[in-house]
Amino acid sequence: MLAFEYMQQMAAVVDELHPGPVRALHLGAAGCSLPRWVEHTRPGSTQLGVDLDARLLELVRAWFDLPRSPRLRLRPDDARHAVEGLADASFDVVVRDVFHGDRTPDHLVTLGMAEEVRRVLRPGGVYLVNCADRPPLASVRRELATLAAAFGEGAGAGALEEGRVAAIAEPAQLKGRRYGNVVLAAVAPGGAGPGLAGPGLARAVRSLAVPARVLVGGELRTFVGPAAPLLDPTPADPTPADPGSADPTFGGPAPGDATTARPATDERARAPREG
């Protein structure tokens, strides 16, 4: 059902969550492949898909047999703006799959963004990131350091050592031999989340049509090395946030459904699908 390897790897992590329906947030919803998979494998789930391209969301509604609101709501918005308007501890899964050309916009890869995602995750919830990078995988390493800093309960290295942050990809990709996708996963503290360091996930990704590997724990700490977290620039002239209106489903501002576009700060293009 999921055509791309990185989505299959993300699905393997979601399968490690508690059984039954979940609340999922998809940043960069595009064709809604993952939302449709969640609906198929976990009926009764409540999902929110966010994409900057309002017209694309309208077409996706027309082309595919998507669950209707409130089971799947589609919202045209900038991904970070959407997250900042959501209630604390309101999702089990957050997926980031947002690209401008072949890279993710800078404001979506920072410590500030990761901390906002942690805030909206329930204890034990998981943040899944599609990170496209080329040798020597500097972006992957810095994003992992960023997730460790955001999802750690103490020093950033703790989240790496404790197995609450992981990288998943084909072995050749993790060795930095080519350009491609690496899935990053981070589990919010305080609950029984997916076992990133357990044998079940390692076995599941190894059994995919294109076998993958999980880097976790001390091995991941060595991989990250001295990489530093990515920080937001200090704003010269902060602009007050638009309070918006209350979202009765997810507890935050609701810029509208797929028919009402809101101006945003980044452009959205489809993610690279190599590897």
Side-chain angles (χ1 to χ4, degrees):
M1 186 175 180
L2 295 171
F4 298 113
E5 287 84 2
Y6 79 90
M7 288 190 179
Q8 295 169 12
Q9 294 158 13
M10 288 181 172
V13 177
V14 175
D15 281 341
E16 294 291 308
L17 284 167
H18 58 80
V22 295
R23 288 170 68 88
L25 170 63
H26 304 269
L27 305 174
C32 290
S33 294
L34 271 174
R36 285 182 280 149
W37 175 83
V38 169
E39 171 68 15
H40 177 74
T41 59
R42 293 172 178 262
S45 294
T46 304
Q47 303 185 76
L48 173 61
V50 176
D51 200 288
L52 193 61
D53 191 335
R55 178 57 179 159
L56 174 62
L57 294 180
E58 292 174 354
L59 293 173
V60 166
R61 275 288 187 203
W63 291 340
F64 300 116
D65 183 21
L66 299 180
R68 305 303 300 181
S69 178
R71 282 161 52 210
L72 174 59
R73 296 190 62 190
L74 298 180
R75 179 184 299 178
D77 199 357
D78 170 77
R80 183 157 179 175
H81 178 269
V83 172
E84 289 172 345
L86 295 169
D88 294 359
S90 51
F91 290 94
D92 301 294
V93 182
V94 177
V95 177
R96 193 199 79 199
D97 191 10
V98 183
F99 286 84
H100 179 197
D102 66 351
R103 58 193 301 271
T104 300
D106 291 344
H107 69 297
L108 301 182
V109 302
T110 64
L111 181 59
M113 173 64 174
E115 289 174 337
E116 282 295 311
V117 171
R118 173 176 167 171
R119 179 184 62 78
V120 303
L121 280 171
R122 292 170 170 171
V126 64
Y127 184 29
L128 294 168
V129 168
N130 177 19
C131 181
D133 202 6
R134 51 182 49 83
L137 301 183
S139 294
V140 168
R141 297 175 207 274
R142 293 204 67 184
E143 282 221 54
L144 285 166
T146 303
L147 294 178
F151 284 77
E153 294 181 287
L160 296 176
E161 298 287 359
E162 293 162 12
R164 286 188 286 108
V165 176
I168 307 170
E170 299 169 50
Q173 178 64 21
L174 290 172
K175 291 177 181 178
R177 293 178 179 171
R178 57 183 174 77
Y179 174 81
N181 304 89
V182 179
V183 169
L184 314 181
V187 177
L196 300 182
L201 179 60
R203 183 168 53 250
V205 300
R206 193 170 55 244
S207 302
L208 295 172
V210 178
R213 185 181 174 209
V214 182
L215 279 186
V216 69
E219 191 175 23
L220 184 66
R221 185 71 187 92
T222 300
F223 176 82
V224 173
L230 294 154
L231 304 178
D232 286 311
T234 302
D237 182 22
T239 302
D242 178 1
S245 57
D247 181 344
T249 306
F250 296 102
D257 204 270
T259 57
T260 310
R262 182 187 185 282
T265 57
D266 70 323
E267 296 180 52
R268 175 67 160 76
R270 301 285 65 80
R273 307 301 190 190
E274 285 95 333

